[in-house]
Amino acid sequence: MKQNTYINASDFIESLQSMGLIIVSAREFEASKDLDRKRMMRKKALSLKEIVDFKLLPLKSKKGVESWISRGKIKSDEIFQEQTGQKRIMVLTSAIKRLGYGD
């Protein structure tokens, strides 16, 4: 049987801090995610990737969002394609709110 190895807690904390990491409670972590979601919902429109990354809809991929668009759950007048830059498909945040997933 392998013997347990112990380290000093302050050494562990210093090691984490040197890597830019901290320990927070689950409540604090969830609160910061909520702030990010609210910040994103203040925008006029979001890309499919932003919608998935910030979990603004109960979908796990861009394909899922595209499926909602093709099925009409997200209406055609609630999307547009960027004319400059990356030419991403954008979804109006009002569509997310209409579906009941905003704020």
Side-chain angles (χ1 to χ4, degrees):
M1 188 165 146
K2 195 172 186 178
Q3 189 174 3
N4 291 335
T5 306
Y6 298 97
I7 61 170
N8 186 329
S10 60
D11 292 341
F12 175 68
I13 297 297
E14 287 176 19
S15 172
L16 289 175
Q17 288 175 340
S18 70
M19 293 185 281
L21 302 172
I22 59 171
I23 297 174
V24 297
S25 68
R27 187 180 317 174
E28 288 178 273
F29 181 70
E30 288 299 319
S32 70
K33 287 182 7 181
D34 286 340
L35 289 174
D36 289 339
R37 286 187 203 111
K38 286 180 182 177
R39 182 176 47 84
M40 295 305 286
M41 288 302 293
R42 285 189 209 123
K43 293 183 175 185
K44 179 181 178 183
L46 300 167
S47 70
L48 304 183
K49 182 176 181 343
E50 290 171 327
I51 291 170
V52 172
D53 288 349
F54 288 94
K55 296 180 172 73
L56 297 173
L57 293 175
L59 302 167
K60 297 183 186 212
S61 68
K62 288 174 27 176
K63 292 260 188 217
V65 180
E66 290 169 350
S67 171
W68 277 26
I69 292 169
S70 66
R71 289 187 308 182
K73 199 162 188 174
I74 297 174
K75 299 175 183 176
S76 60
D77 62 342
E78 295 174 325
I79 62 169
F80 64 93
Q81 186 168 6
E82 286 182 321
Q83 297 302 313
T84 59
Q86 300 176 8
K87 301 202 185 269
R88 301 175 294 183
I89 295 174
M90 304 294 284
V91 176
L92 298 176
T93 52
S94 60
I96 297 169
K97 291 175 185 173
R98 179 183 59 76
L99 293 167
Y101 295 105
D103 295 335

